[in-house]
Amino acid sequence: MKEPTYIPPFTITEEIASFVADIAEMVGGLTAMADHLPTPHLRKANRIKTIQSSLAIENNSLSIEQVTAILEGKRVLGAPNEIQEVKNAIDAYNLLLELNPYKEKDLLKAHKLMMTDLVRENGRYRQGGVGVFDGEKCIHLAPPAQRVPILMAELLDWVKKTKVHPLIKSCVFHYEFEFIHPFADGNGRMGRMWQTLLLMQWNPIFAWIPVESIVKEHQQEYYDVIAQSDSEANSTSFIAFMLRCLKQALKEMKESNQKGNPKSNQKILMAMRENPNITIKELQEITGLSESGVKKNIRQMREGGIVSRVGGAKGGHWLINSKS
């Protein structure tokens, strides 16, 4: 196989290497388990989170509950274009297992579905200039339209031939894709979807990991690292950001795929007994769980009548059931 004609600029730092090692270990641990894939219920929930979060980054205001209803074929009150965005994203993500991340025709096919009835140029590269905006501020001016087919061909050639680790490769593609901005609209959601597709070639478990929800939680940083990578003329900063998001998403998926964690529950109960005013952040440090993991365990204990909350989030305290 010939060497790619274009090699994107980036540096594999110690931080990036550490993230790759940590993520690979987490994926290996999940894959080694007999039930490493999420349950059907969790797969559905994660796909909904993926779609809702990715569209929310693009200012779609529909909630998880509304996206769920659309997926189930129910009628939803909302802006017609936002409902169409959700329907399109559902159709596009349903094709994940059939798409080849290295084929241009599959990329165009996915974009055609993703942007049906939203833009005229769905399924085709843009014909005019375009920029990336953070509010009213232009943070990136994309290359001229006539360069897009050449740049995309070079990028797809590189991502197919490179021997760099799949985790890094997927992040580099994501950044380069956003830099080229090949479509008139839908570049953000397509870039995130295609990174997922590339990661699936390494391990199918990534089809069900809603990394987009983590990106949504750090949306401003997402824009900032894109701008930083632009100014540095390489994707190093973006790679580190996306790997951190992937690591967090894996951690949360592992916690969500478990039916409670007795050891963590005991740690939480002991901490609450010692300090009824303890915060979620402090419980994270004690248990090693993510914020959502701690909240999930507490929610289960509250539903079971083990603990209760007296007062609000600020100024309130935890009350332990006397039998617990």
Side-chain angles (χ1 to χ4, degrees):
M1 184 181 291
K2 294 182 180 179
E3 291 295 315
T5 55
Y6 170 69
I7 300 177
F10 63 92
T11 301
I12 300 178
T13 63
E14 290 185 7
E15 180 187 27
I16 288 173
S18 178
F19 276 136
V20 169
D22 290 346
I23 294 170
E25 183 178 357
M26 294 171 77
V27 170
L30 285 167
T31 306
M33 297 165 58
D35 58 347
H36 67 278
L37 285 178
T39 62
H41 175 76
L42 187 57
R43 272 181 271 171
K44 178 182 177 182
N46 283 354
R47 177 58 53 80
I48 290 169
K49 283 177 65 177
T50 291
I51 291 170
Q52 192 273 337
S53 298
S54 191
L55 294 179
I57 295 171
E58 310 301 328
N59 298 314
N60 186 300
S61 65
L62 296 184
S63 65
I64 287 284
E65 291 74 21
Q66 288 172 306
V67 173
T68 302
I70 293 171
L71 181 65
E72 295 173 350
K74 299 176 182 177
R75 294 189 65 180
V76 170
L77 292 176
N81 66 308
E82 293 192 342
I83 293 173
Q84 186 65 46
E85 285 181 342
V86 172
K87 290 179 177 180
N88 290 354
I90 290 170
D91 290 341
Y93 273 90
N94 282 341
L95 273 185
L96 268 182
L97 299 178
E98 303 174 22
L99 296 170
N100 185 327
Y102 310 117
K103 290 188 176 181
E104 182 183 60
K105 69 174 184 178
D106 281 11
L107 177 70
L108 297 177
K109 178 181 179 181
H111 184 264
K112 186 176 182 66
L113 282 175
M114 188 75 82
M115 304 306 294
T116 294
D117 294 329
L118 296 175
V119 294
R120 291 181 179 179
E121 296 175 282
N122 65 313
R124 291 177 291 155
Y125 292 140
R126 60 182 166 87
Q127 298 299 306
V130 69
V132 181
F133 288 83
D134 180 8
E136 296 183 355
K137 180 182 178 182
C138 181
I139 60 173
H140 171 65
L141 187 62
Q146 61 267 30
R147 291 278 299 156
V148 168
I150 297 171
L151 295 174
M152 285 305 303
E154 290 177 344
L155 178 59
L156 289 169
D157 182 58
W158 174 81
V159 82
K160 181 178 181 179
K161 295 177 179 177
T162 184
K163 294 180 174 61
V164 72
H165 194 284
L167 283 165
I168 297 174
K169 175 174 74 173
S170 72
C171 296
V172 173
F173 178 91
H174 187 163
Y175 168 74
E176 292 283 330
F177 183 90
E178 301 305 333
F179 180 86
I180 297 168
H181 235 60
F183 300 112
D185 196 9
N187 295 284
R189 65 200 79 172
M190 283 298 301
R192 292 184 289 273
M193 177 183 172
W194 223 250
Q195 177 167 13
T196 293
L197 185 58
L198 285 166
L199 288 168
M200 286 168 54
Q201 309 307 302
W202 180 48
N203 193 303
I205 198 171
F206 283 98
W208 313 110
I209 297 174
V211 66
E212 290 84 353
S213 65
I214 308 299
V215 174
K216 178 63 179 71
E217 292 175 7
H218 302 278
Q219 185 171 345
Q220 188 56 53
E221 188 178 357
Y222 178 64
Y223 292 137
D224 289 345
V225 295
I226 289 176
Q228 182 178 347
S229 290
D230 281 357
S231 65
E232 295 171 347
N234 67 71
S235 57
T236 304
S237 298
F238 185 82
I239 296 168
F241 169 77
M242 284 304 305
L243 290 178
R244 186 163 66 251
C245 290
L246 281 166
K247 182 178 177 179
Q248 182 65 27
L250 275 166
K251 183 177 181 181
E252 292 191 6
M253 193 202 76
K254 181 180 179 181
E255 293 168 0
S256 297
N257 208 29
Q258 297 171 340
K259 295 181 179 179
N261 189 326
K263 290 184 178 180
S264 294
N265 286 352
Q266 288 303 314
K267 289 181 180 179
I268 291 171
L269 284 172
M270 288 177 63
M272 286 178 173
R273 283 195 180 98
E274 293 176 5
N275 177 15
N277 300 310
I278 195 164
T279 65
I280 297 296
K281 186 175 181 180
E282 289 170 334
L283 288 171
Q284 283 181 250
E285 295 173 356
I286 291 170
T287 61
L289 297 175
S290 64
E291 179 180 355
S292 63
V294 169
K295 288 181 176 179
K296 179 183 178 182
N297 280 40
I298 292 175
R299 183 174 65 252
Q300 291 172 342
M301 289 192 288
R302 291 179 75 171
E303 291 172 353
I306 298 172
V307 302
S308 59
R309 181 74 180 178
V310 179
K314 292 183 179 180
H317 65 272
W318 299 105
L319 183 64
I320 311 296
N321 186 310
S322 58
K323 296 182 179 179
S324 299

